[in-house]
């Protein structure tokens, strides 16, 4: 009967069978008897809550289990239908349960979008960015994979989201993942998911980002950080649209459009045998390059005003603009951290400003010319080599506007190495009950001064 109403139906004969099939079938609604041998409906619902937390469960119940059905509602069941079955009531109940599921999906999509609020939009008056906008409009409706290039902080994820929002997949999920921030031992599980017990610590089934992005768009940032041994599996998923979770025996179909970005020269990586050529051509169907902010300085005033209005509104400040002298400083800065650095600078200025106009004194000291030793870190004698390295890394990161790619390049290490060190510093700070250790004081704030200090240039 459910099939005749247009639903795709999978039948299970007991709770254990239902739980197994639900993991493979991924139902939108579960219709179950409340009283069953070995395991009852409540057991099934509790197990499903771990596997499919947003899946509505509708129970069928006899007269003797009405109280249990009411208890099930209190535990989170969507509804129950009393036997003998009322066909009209069942149809209405299933339709409403499906509507609830669709509403949950919409809410999740909205939440993902809201998390992105505060990132820069594609606000521009420059010719270079107008060309970027034209490319986005042309490629968005297609199914082609897109490679987005540009320095860190130029807005690659914003472009990826714009492509998604202008595509036929805009009502489906947009999932963004930074490949450099995932430990090499976990990246395969993050991509393809895992079954319960697949490895130590895998206490429950977990879908990967490909499953999460099913029907929508997956943005892979820092693509060049994907280990070479995983690239063949990624290529297979892209070409066949099927994957198998770690520890799984069943292949799952996925329909995902992949957008990617990297700061690395992938052609050089291919020559060095660190990146597969076939994967490169599979993902590099269409290219969009974002120029750094220093090459489109005419966009700085409009971006600054955009951020002033945003952060002024968020903090209930009465800041309305930027003093011309301060604007000249902003326009003259090289912006190694690009738009991300500009955004942070304006947010800081709005916090410090008590009037209507941001002045030079509200800008970061190294930008405003307040610190003559802005290229110097001052370190006291007595620090261990590990502590010196920590201070130098954090100071370099701060000076580069939190641009991790640029910092890694300057330090001569890979981004993966930099991420690992930063994660270790954060863990150590949490153990010490302090996060303030993650801040490096600018020159002149390094302690006692005199002969007890070393300038590390």
């Amino acid at each position: 009967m459910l099939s005749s109403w247009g639903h795709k139906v999978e039948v299970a004969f007991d709770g254990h069978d239902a739980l197994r099939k639900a993991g493979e079938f991924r139902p939108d609604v579960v219709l179950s008897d409340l009283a069953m041998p070995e395991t009852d409906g409540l057991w099934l619902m509790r197990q499903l809550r771990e596997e499919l937390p947003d899946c509505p469960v509708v129970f069928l119940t006899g007269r003797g289990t009405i109280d249990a059905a009411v208890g099930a509602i209190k535990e989170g069941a969507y509804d129950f239908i009393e036997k003998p079955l009322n066909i009209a009531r069942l149809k209405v109940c299933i339709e409403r349960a499906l509507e609830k599921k669709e509403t949950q999906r919409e809410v999740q999509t909205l939440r993902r979008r809201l998390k992105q609020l505060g990132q820069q939009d594609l606000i521009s008056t420059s010719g270079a960015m107008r060309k970027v906008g034209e490319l986005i409009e042309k490629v968005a409706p297609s199914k082609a994979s897109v490679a987005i290039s540009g320095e860190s902080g130029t807005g690659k994820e914003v472009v990826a989201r714009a492509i998604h929002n202008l595509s036929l997949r805009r009502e489906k999920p947009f999932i963004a993942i930074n490949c450099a921030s995932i430990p090499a031992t976990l990246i395969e599980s993050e991509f393809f998911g895992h079954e319960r017990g697949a490895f130590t610590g895998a206490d429950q089934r977990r879908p990967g980002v490909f499953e999460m992005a099913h029907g929508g768009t997956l943005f892979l940032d820092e693509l060049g950080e994907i280990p070479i041994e995983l690239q063949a599996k990624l290529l297979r998923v892209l070409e066949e649209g099927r994957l198998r979770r770690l520890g799984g025996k069943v292949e799952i179909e996925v329909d995902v459009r992949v957008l990617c970005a990297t700061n690395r020269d992938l052609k050089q990586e291919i020559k060095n045998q660190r990146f597969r050529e076939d994967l490169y051509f599979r993902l590099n169907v269409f290219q969009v390059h974002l120029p750094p902010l220093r090459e489109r300085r005419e966009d700085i005033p409009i971006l600054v005003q955009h951020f002033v209005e945003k952060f002024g509104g968020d903090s209930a400040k009465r800041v309305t603009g930027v003093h011309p002298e301060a604007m000249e400083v902003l326009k003259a800065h090289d912006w190694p951290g690009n738009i991300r650095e500009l955004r942070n600078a304006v947010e800081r200025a709005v916090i410090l400003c008590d009037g209507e106009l941001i002045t030079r004194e509200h800008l970061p000291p190294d930008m405003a010319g307040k610190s003559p030793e802005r290229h110097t870190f001052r370190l006291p004698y007595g620090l261990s080599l590990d502590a010196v390295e920590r201070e130098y890394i954090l100071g370099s990161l701060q000076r580069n506007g939190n641009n991790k790619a640029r910092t890694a390049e300057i330090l001569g290490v890979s981004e993966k190495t930099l991420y690992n060190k930063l994660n270790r510093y954060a863990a150590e700070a949490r153990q010490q009950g302090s996060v303030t250790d993650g801040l490096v004081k600018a020159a002149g704030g390094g302690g006692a001064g005199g002969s007890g200090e070393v300038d590390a240039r």
Side-chain angles (χ1 to χ4, degrees):
M1 183 173 63
L2 289 169
S3 296
S4 70
W5 292 346
H7 303 300
K8 186 177 179 182
V9 181
E10 188 76 20
V11 178
F13 297 97
D14 58 34
H16 292 292
D17 190 32
L19 192 60
R20 180 179 63 81
K21 289 187 175 179
E24 301 169 3
F25 184 61
R26 314 297 289 182
D28 292 308
V29 178
V30 170
L31 180 64
S32 171
D33 250 344
L34 187 58
M36 295 185 291
E38 294 188 18
T39 58
D40 62 12
L42 278 176
W43 177 89
L44 174 60
M45 183 179 73
R46 290 164 185 157
Q47 298 302 313
L48 285 171
R49 191 174 296 152
E50 297 182 6
E51 302 284 342
L52 302 167
D54 298 326
C55 182
V57 177
V58 178
F59 284 122
L60 299 175
T61 180
R63 293 186 182 277
T65 55
I66 294 294
D67 290 343
V70 173
I73 295 291
K74 293 179 180 178
E75 281 203 39
Y78 177 74
D79 204 351
F80 69 89
I81 301 175
E82 190 178 353
K83 300 176 184 177
L85 195 61
N86 182 314
I87 304 300
R89 168 148 168 63
L90 174 65
K91 189 169 186 177
V92 170
C93 184
I94 294 295
E95 288 175 352
R96 288 179 176 173
L98 286 168
E99 288 175 2
K100 177 187 178 184
K101 178 72 174 180
E102 186 59 32
T103 300
Q104 288 175 330
R105 284 177 179 155
E106 291 174 358
V107 169
Q108 289 170 355
T109 300
L110 178 59
R111 284 175 178 166
R112 282 192 293 270
R113 289 176 179 171
L114 289 174
K115 285 181 181 179
Q116 301 303 318
L117 289 179
Q119 291 192 1
Q120 66 276 20
D121 297 322
L122 289 171
I123 297 171
S124 174
T125 59
S126 65
M129 287 305 293
R130 276 201 301 272
K131 291 180 180 178
V132 169
E134 292 170 1
L135 291 175
I136 290 172
E137 290 178 1
K138 289 178 179 178
V139 76
S142 74
K143 297 180 180 179
S145 298
V146 181
I148 306 167
S149 60
E151 296 178 3
S152 182
T154 51
K156 294 187 289 292
E157 184 174 335
V158 174
V159 169
R161 186 170 294 278
I163 293 172
H164 171 75
N165 289 339
L166 291 173
S167 75
L168 299 177
R169 298 171 177 262
R170 56 183 169 272
E171 301 300 329
K172 299 296 183 179
F174 174 88
I175 304 295
I177 182 170
N178 188 313
C179 302
S181 64
I182 307 170
T185 54
L186 296 179
I187 193 166
E188 185 173 0
S189 171
E190 191 73 22
F191 272 26
F192 308 130
H194 62 254
E195 298 289 345
R196 184 175 182 178
F199 51 84
T200 303
D203 54 357
Q204 63 181 8
R205 173 184 289 138
R206 183 177 183 276
V209 292
F210 272 89
E211 280 186 79
M212 294 167 62
H214 179 65
T217 304
L218 176 61
F219 175 56
L220 301 177
D221 199 3
E222 307 299 350
L223 179 73
E225 296 292 337
I226 298 176
I228 187 71
E229 58 271 16
L230 183 61
Q231 292 174 22
K233 293 184 179 181
L234 175 59
L235 179 63
R236 179 177 176 272
V237 173
L238 294 175
E239 291 183 339
E240 299 181 8
R242 302 176 67 85
L243 62 83
R244 183 178 297 165
R245 301 190 193 106
L246 283 178
K249 299 179 180 178
V250 179
E251 286 199 330
I252 302 167
E253 290 189 5
V254 288
D255 172 23
V256 177
R257 182 185 191 181
V258 175
L259 312 177
C260 66
T262 181
N263 289 314
R264 291 193 179 191
D265 182 348
L266 291 186
K267 291 184 178 180
Q268 186 60 45
E269 293 292 291
I270 292 170
K271 290 180 181 178
N272 296 335
Q273 298 185 338
R274 289 195 292 262
F275 201 85
R276 292 177 63 102
E277 188 175 29
D278 47 6
L279 179 59
Y280 171 80
F281 286 116
R282 179 64 181 79
L283 291 172
N284 199 34
V285 177
F286 193 94
Q287 290 186 339
V288 176
H289 177 70
L290 292 178
L293 188 56
R294 63 183 173 274
E295 293 180 7
R296 53 183 184 104
R297 294 183 186 273
E298 62 267 41
D299 287 337
I300 291 175
I302 191 172
L303 284 166
V304 169
Q305 189 59 37
H306 167 70
F307 291 134
V308 166
E309 293 174 1
K310 172 183 167 42
F311 295 122
D314 289 349
S315 60
K317 288 267 189 170
R318 53 192 182 95
V319 183
T320 59
V322 178
H323 190 277
E325 183 183 353
M327 181 61 76
E328 288 304 311
V329 173
L330 293 170
K331 289 165 66 176
H333 188 60
D334 277 342
W335 300 110
N338 291 292
I339 299 175
R340 185 183 295 121
E341 183 185 0
L342 174 64
R343 178 184 183 276
N344 292 343
V346 175
E347 183 176 15
R348 176 187 187 276
V350 169
I351 292 171
L352 294 175
C353 183
D354 294 323
E356 294 186 357
L357 293 180
I358 291 172
T359 63
R360 188 176 185 135
E361 66 180 7
H362 300 131
L363 302 179
D366 62 334
M367 191 180 302
K370 295 290 185 181
S371 174
E373 295 181 302
R374 58 184 178 275
H375 301 309
T376 300
F377 297 112
R378 309 195 74 170
L379 301 172
Y381 283 120
L383 290 180
S384 66
L385 283 176
D386 283 344
V388 170
E389 179 189 67
R390 176 180 181 277
E391 294 299 308
Y392 190 68
I393 288 174
L394 292 174
S396 298
L397 185 65
Q398 185 182 54
R399 182 169 180 268
N400 284 290
N402 206 38
N403 184 327
K404 296 179 179 64
R406 183 177 176 84
T407 302
E409 181 181 356
I410 290 172
L411 295 175
V413 299
S414 69
E415 288 181 58
K416 182 81 72 177
T417 298
L418 179 60
Y419 271 104
N420 289 340
K421 289 183 180 292
L422 294 176
N423 288 336
R424 178 162 62 84
Y425 299 155
E428 291 171 353
R430 285 193 295 270
Q431 290 175 358
Q432 296 169 4
S434 170
V435 296
T436 56
D437 288 343
L439 299 177
V440 177
K441 292 183 179 180
S451 60
E453 298 178 341
V454 178
D455 283 356
R457 296 179 185 267

